[in-house]
Amino acid sequence: MTHKTEIELVLNSLNKDKRELLDKVNEIDKLIKKIKYGNLNLGLSKGTKDELLNDDIPQPQQPQAFPLKADLKVQAIKVMDLLGVASKLKDIRDKYHEITGLNVNLRETLRNLNKHEILKLLQPKGNIRGLYWVKSEWLDENNNLKEQHKFEGFELLFSDEMVEYK
């Protein structure tokens, strides 16, 4: 009988230690996410410590956090903003996975955003399939992609006359 109670005491103690350690791991995970997504200001800047001490009132930084709890459409738009250039579906999916760690099929979400004219699909004239996704606001009044949103080598592959945005 005493052997059984000793085992129960050891098991209870081990379970308690396990819960405490899991709580610590969860706290560390939360801290990692805050740092990763810019929700925590560590005071790291290019200035020296003396420069930081001279500032009487630290300027709060506006975090550019990724909207983890937002709708997938909002997240897709944010990913496009982060990429900043015309991107293939695979690149958008990879960036989303890099940020969230989730593998999500974004094809239908991008198509839905295209239907509402938030995103456009760049495709060579005469082709049925589009190649790159762009935000509608990245197009100028002549319906051409603005220079700052062209990826490196864009001019080698496309000219403004040979592409259309649908």
Side-chain angles (χ1 to χ4, degrees), residues 28-159:
I28 291 171
D29 282 343
K30 288 178 186 176
L31 186 60
I32 288 171
K33 286 179 183 176
K34 283 182 180 181
I35 293 170
K36 185 176 181 180
Y37 299 119
N39 293 336
L40 181 67
N41 182 5
L42 296 174
L44 301 175
S45 66
K46 294 182 180 179
T48 62
K49 288 184 180 179
D50 294 336
E51 290 172 354
L52 291 175
L53 294 175
N54 289 339
D55 293 340
D56 293 334
I57 302 171
Q59 299 296 323
Q61 292 182 347
Q62 296 295 326
Q64 297 296 324
F66 188 78
L68 290 174
K69 295 184 180 180
D71 186 52
L72 190 57
K73 293 174 194 170
V74 174
Q75 291 178 341
I77 293 169
K78 182 66 174 176
V79 168
M80 289 297 294
D81 286 335
L82 292 172
L83 291 170
V85 294
S87 304
K88 290 187 175 187
L89 174 63
K90 181 185 182 319
D91 297 331
I92 298 168
R93 189 181 301 136
D94 290 346
K95 185 68 172 177
Y96 183 84
H97 177 72
E98 175 187 321
I99 294 170
T100 64
L102 302 173
N103 289 320
V104 176
N105 186 357
L106 294 171
R107 182 184 311 275
E108 288 305 315
T109 302
L110 296 179
R111 284 182 179 171
N112 195 332
L113 290 169
N114 178 256
K115 184 172 78 173
H116 295 290
E117 297 185 1
I118 296 170
L119 296 182
K120 298 277 187 174
L121 196 54
L122 177 152
Q123 64 186 49
K125 288 185 178 174
N127 269 6
I128 297 172
R129 295 186 65 185
L131 300 174
Y132 294 91
W133 290 98
V134 299
K135 289 183 71 176
S136 297
E137 63 191 43
W138 295 353
L139 301 176
D140 61 17
E141 59 277 349
N142 297 327
N143 209 29
N144 293 324
L145 189 61
K146 295 177 184 174
E147 286 298 318
Q148 67 263 29
H149 299 293
K150 293 180 179 180
F151 55 84
E152 189 174 331
F154 183 88
E155 290 82 15
L156 298 173
L157 297 174
F158 306 107
S159 68

